[in-house]
Amino acid sequence: MSSEKTSKTGVFLKKLLINNAVTLLFFVICIAGIILADQPMSYIIGEISSRLFRNLILILALLVPVWAGMGMNFSIVLGAMAAQIGIIVSTNFSLSGIACLTVSFLVSIPLSLLFGNLTGRLFNQTKGQEMITGMILGFFAKGIYDLVFMFLCGPVIPVRNEALLLTNGIGLTTPINLDNATKSAINKIWMVSLDKAIYGVLVLTLLFFMAKMMWRMIRRHEKISRKEIRGLLVSAFALAMFYLLCRSSETFLFALSFTDVPIVTGILIVIVCIYITFLSKTKLGSDIHAVGQSMPIAVSMGIPADKIRITAIMISTLLAALGQIIFIQDIGNFTTYTAHENVGTFSIAALLVGGASIKKANIGHAILGALLFHTMFIISPLAGKNLFDNAQLGEYFRVFVCYAVIAVALALHAWKSVMARRVEEGEEG
């Protein structure tokens, strides 16, 4: 009996290791990099925090197509292009501040939905090859984008703001800089130190579970579920542990209090997370999951699979447009012709690092992946400089790892599919 339990435990640990191999590898790389970089905790926490708020919506934009069985959506670069077009239009009319970003998003909405619709229609003609199709489509769209803004702006498309044009009057200048009122306009609405923000989140989570339990008991006269009790206990434990950690480590507390986080940007991220969670529980979300699990079965149940796939891509592209606007306003500028190029690759790599696969992804994968991937991005040049006395090696390393993660994740998925097929064939035999 004990040997049977031991074998089951061994199988469980083996599956856990295989399923989370990329995440565990990155966790080890990040810990080693932090030690080798030898930087103050305040610097590392501050950089991770800013990158998390800056990039998370772009990563979340990848989730819905994964549910629909289309894998990682490399074509979110089209959503990024729509966002950049919106910012160019707003800047052309000399708008600034929140008005500039609002108009940019309003302009990007129809564009991103149009791009998503056309992309979805293309994907319906290339079923099973969506990822490579999306990657090639991104290159094709870049060519059209460059043609419009490099050669048609000025001679064909009138540009009111001459600061956007090159000196010869043909094509847009690069980079395009946001003015002081627009740069970090969303971030600057409400900034709070990171320690207060974490306290606020933990307290609100605790109050949420308490209110939910009271509502269930008093108004609906139902028993409290184990899930709610577990959520309440976990949030209370997390709050207590965070309080003790801050009280016992002045260095840690200083690092958190030294870092300011943008609350309004965080609220936008929470809204996107709530929308994705809500979507997964709706009829549309159920249809998306059904199409992703088995398209023939979904069609036999009367679900319009092609239409559902187009809708999933449109949602992804729209969220990518919002994410790119958040990203650009945080940076304060963007290179006109190349800012969108790595959006898909870096976001996909981050999601895969978080433990997602091309068939399964959730919000937790996105958050964990953003933390680990961008930690590596921060510390690798510094670690390379200290270890090899050459920061450029760190730059090469993080670009190499970005593509290596995608390759390893795809290889693992292919290997798992082959093993699952062999098991099925063995059972049938």
Side-chain angles (χ1 to χ4, degrees):
M1 192 75 176
S2 60
S3 60
E4 186 177 337
K5 286 184 178 180
T6 305
S7 63
K8 286 184 178 180
T9 304
V11 171
F12 173 76
L13 292 175
K14 186 178 179 180
K15 284 185 177 180
L16 186 68
L17 183 62
I18 293 173
N19 291 334
N20 299 281
V22 176
T23 304
L24 293 172
L25 175 63
F26 248 76
F27 184 77
V28 172
I29 290 173
C30 289
I31 295 297
I34 289 172
I35 295 171
L36 292 171
D38 192 25
Q39 293 295 309
M41 185 64 69
S42 58
Y43 169 78
I44 294 174
I45 290 178
E47 288 294 313
I48 293 173
S49 172
S50 64
R51 286 174 177 269
L52 178 66
F53 283 91
R54 183 192 304 163
N55 293 279
L56 190 52
I57 293 180
L58 286 169
I59 303 172
L60 292 170
L62 297 166
L63 298 184
V64 180
V66 174
W67 300 351
M70 291 184 282
M72 297 297 166
N73 182 20
F74 280 93
S75 62
I76 62 170
V77 295
L78 275 72
M81 289 179 187
Q84 291 167 198
I85 293 170
I87 291 176
I88 290 170
V89 171
S90 298
T91 307
N92 184 44
F93 288 98
S94 301
L95 298 175
S96 63
I98 294 296
C100 174
L101 299 176
T102 302
V103 171
S104 299
F105 182 58
L106 292 176
V107 171
S108 71
I109 289 175
L111 289 174
S112 60
L113 292 177
L114 173 63
F115 296 161
N117 186 280
L118 296 175
T119 302
R121 291 177 184 274
L122 177 62
F123 285 175
N124 283 339
Q125 303 302 317
T126 58
K127 291 185 175 75
Q129 306 295 329
E130 290 90 354
M131 287 195 291
I132 187 63
T133 302
M135 184 180 293
I136 300 303
L137 178 62
F139 294 138
F140 174 74
K142 173 177 166 51
I144 298 177
Y145 177 92
D146 289 349
L147 174 65
V148 171
F149 292 107
M150 194 177 291
F151 297 105
L152 299 185
C153 282
V156 179
I157 302 173
V159 178
R160 293 177 53 181
N161 189 346
E162 295 184 358
L164 289 175
L165 286 174
L166 294 170
T167 53
N168 61 1
I170 302 175
L172 298 185
T173 184
T174 185
I176 293 177
N177 296 305
L178 305 182
D179 58 29
N180 292 330
T182 308
K183 181 180 179 181
S184 300
I186 298 175
N187 294 352
K188 289 185 291 189
I189 294 175
W190 187 12
M191 300 287 287
V192 174
S193 62
L194 184 56
D195 60 326
K196 293 180 180 178
I198 294 176
Y199 272 126
V201 169
L202 293 176
V203 169
L204 287 174
T205 304
L206 184 63
L207 292 176
F208 168 77
F209 281 109
M210 291 176 64
K212 192 174 181 181
M213 291 168 64
M214 292 178 65
W215 172 266
R216 186 180 289 273
M217 290 173 58
I218 298 173
R219 298 298 299 272
R220 301 185 65 178
H221 305 289
E222 296 177 357
K223 291 184 178 180
I224 301 172
S225 66
R226 291 183 179 180
K227 184 178 179 181
E228 290 166 346
I229 295 175
R230 186 165 57 248
L232 180 68
L233 293 176
V234 169
S235 56
F237 177 76
L239 180 61
M241 290 301 296
F242 182 72
Y243 174 78
L244 293 174
L245 185 61
C246 290
R247 294 280 292 181
S248 60
S249 175
E250 293 184 0
T251 304
F252 180 71
L253 179 60
F254 172 77
L256 295 181
S257 60
F258 184 77
T259 303
D260 289 333
V261 295
I263 298 301
V264 175
T265 305
I267 291 172
L268 290 175
I269 293 172
V270 171
I271 290 173
V272 171
C273 292
I274 292 173
Y275 168 74
I276 291 173
T277 304
F278 172 76
L279 177 65
S280 67
K281 298 178 180 179
T282 61
K283 173 66 166 56
L284 175 59
S286 299
D287 290 347
I288 291 173
H289 283 289
V291 170
Q293 290 173 1
S294 176
M295 197 180 305
I297 294 176
V299 172
S300 67
M301 293 170 60
I303 297 173
D306 287 352
K307 186 177 179 181
I308 292 296
R309 284 160 57 91
I310 292 173
T311 302
I313 292 295
M314 290 173 69
I315 292 171
S316 177
T317 312
L318 178 60
L319 292 179
L322 174 62
Q324 185 72 348
I325 289 174
I326 296 295
F327 181 91
I328 290 173
Q329 65 88 32
D330 185 72
I331 296 292
N333 62 74
F334 68 98
T335 49
T336 312
Y337 305 106
T338 60
H340 51 271
E341 285 185 348
N342 292 322
V343 165
T345 306
F346 288 169
S347 299
I348 288 168
L351 186 60
L352 292 173
V353 164
S357 69
I358 63 174
K359 286 194 172 182
K360 182 180 179 182
N362 57 41
I363 295 172
H365 294 145
I367 295 174
L368 178 60
L371 289 171
L372 292 176
F373 186 76
H374 289 288
T375 299
M376 186 274 295
F377 247 62
I378 295 162
I379 54 92
S380 58
L382 300 170
K385 183 179 179 181
N386 291 341
L387 189 61
F388 303 105
D389 198 24
N390 187 346
Q392 193 64 38
L393 285 177
E395 293 286 344
Y396 291 142
F397 174 75
R398 65 186 187 182
V399 173
F400 159 76
V401 166
C402 174
Y403 291 100
V405 163
I406 297 175
V408 169
L410 295 178
L412 283 174
H413 173 72
W415 178 76
K416 289 176 188 176
S417 300
V418 170
M419 295 301 293
R421 197 179 303 118
R422 288 180 178 175
V423 169
E424 290 177 0
E425 291 174 355
E427 290 177 353
E428 290 175 359

